[in-house]
Amino acid sequence: GIRDVERSRGLGDVYKRQVERRVDRVEIALEHLASQVEQTSRSVNQLSEEMRSFKSEMNKRWGNLANRLGTLVEDIVAPAFPDVIKRRFNLEVEDIMVRRKRRRRELREEFDLIGVVGENVFVVDVKSQYKSDYVDRFSQKLSRFKGLFPEYKDKRIIGVIASLYLDESIINYATEKGYYAMGMKGEYMDFLNAEKIKLNDINSKRG
């Protein structure tokens, strides 16, 4: 009986030590896992920060590229505009202003191109890629034009949207608004919807 008790106690101590060793191993494994989770979390946070920084830098670069493209298109449209007026109406552009800024009272705007032709003032809005909502914004901008340029209050204001390439839907929308759509036509720029815009004599006066 005593030997059985001692043997049982000895086996119990062995099992106890084995359990303790297993618990120790589990604790070590959990500590290792926690360390790995912490390292992974730090890596993820660092990667997330790097991605945010990368995204911010790319947005900045795209913005700069878009601005340069817009300026490039303006530099193509501006010298082509007098040729279009001459070819379409056999008239000379008397005054041309590029990237014209004007501030008057609470109003402030910048217009890509303004061309004075007789009793008409062509206001040209240039984009590297034209979208339909840009036409709506241009309408709002155009409605403030005479408030900013009272010297043209007795002249007819003619809106023009311009880009190197204009989608047919944009041309149609501009036509609905009564604006000329200026873009590439073969090897030169032209008013692509000139036949659809019904203006009175271009030399007539309209307030």
Side-chain angles (χ1 to χ4, degrees):
I2 294 174
R3 287 181 179 176
D4 290 340
V5 170
E6 289 178 349
R7 186 182 303 153
S8 176
R9 187 181 299 159
L11 289 172
D13 289 341
V14 171
Y15 290 143
K16 182 180 178 182
R17 285 194 296 273
Q18 287 178 346
V19 169
E20 286 176 348
R21 282 198 296 270
R22 289 176 181 172
V23 169
D24 288 343
R25 285 199 294 270
V26 169
E27 288 180 347
I28 290 170
L30 287 174
E31 288 176 1
H32 183 63
L33 178 62
S35 175
Q36 287 183 324
V37 169
E38 185 179 353
Q39 289 177 6
T40 301
S41 178
R42 281 200 298 267
S43 297
V44 168
N45 289 337
Q46 182 179 354
L47 180 61
S48 178
E49 183 62 35
E50 289 174 356
M51 287 301 294
R52 278 195 294 268
S53 177
F54 175 75
K55 184 178 179 181
S56 175
E57 179 64 23
M58 288 306 296
N59 286 341
K60 182 179 178 181
R61 291 188 181 186
W62 277 117
N64 290 338
L65 178 60
N67 288 336
R68 286 199 295 271
L69 283 173
T71 302
L72 175 64
V73 176
E74 287 173 13
D75 290 341
I76 295 172
V77 169
F81 177 75
D83 294 335
V84 174
I85 296 300
K86 180 68 174 177
R87 187 166 56 250
R88 280 289 173 183
F89 311 115
N90 196 29
L91 293 170
E92 301 291 338
V93 176
E94 301 162 16
D95 190 14
I96 190 166
M97 294 161 273
V98 179
R99 301 182 194 109
R100 183 71 164 88
K101 295 180 181 179
R102 173 65 69 92
R103 181 174 183 175
R104 192 166 184 266
R105 299 189 182 94
E106 72 282 359
L107 298 176
R108 179 165 58 183
E109 288 286 359
E110 179 177 353
F111 295 90
D112 298 327
L113 178 66
I114 300 171
V116 180
V117 183
E119 295 302 322
N120 309 280
V121 178
F122 288 81
V123 181
V124 187
D125 190 55
V126 183
K127 293 284 185 290
S128 58
Q129 183 179 9
Y130 229 103
K131 301 177 182 178
S132 58
D133 60 319
Y134 293 164
V135 181
D136 296 328
R137 291 183 205 173
F138 179 48
S139 295
Q140 297 172 3
K141 197 173 179 179
L142 207 57
S143 69
R144 297 188 286 271
F145 183 80
K146 284 192 175 182
L148 285 160
F149 294 88
E151 62 267 36
Y152 299 134
K153 64 183 177 64
D154 294 326
K155 292 186 180 292
R156 174 168 56 182
I157 308 302
I158 301 173
V160 181
I161 68 164
S163 187
L164 296 183
Y165 168 78
L166 289 170
D167 188 81
E168 193 67 30
S169 63
I170 301 298
I171 296 173
N172 291 337
Y173 191 39
T175 304
E176 289 176 19
K177 294 282 189 178
Y179 305 147
Y180 283 111
M182 183 176 171
M184 291 302 298
K185 186 177 182 180
E187 297 180 353
Y188 56 88
M189 298 204 78
D190 197 5
F191 289 156
L192 305 177
N193 59 344
E195 289 77 14
K196 296 179 182 178
I197 297 293
K198 303 302 181 184
L199 290 178
N200 296 328
D201 183 358
I202 205 71
N203 291 302
S204 68
K205 182 183 289 189
R206 186 175 72 179

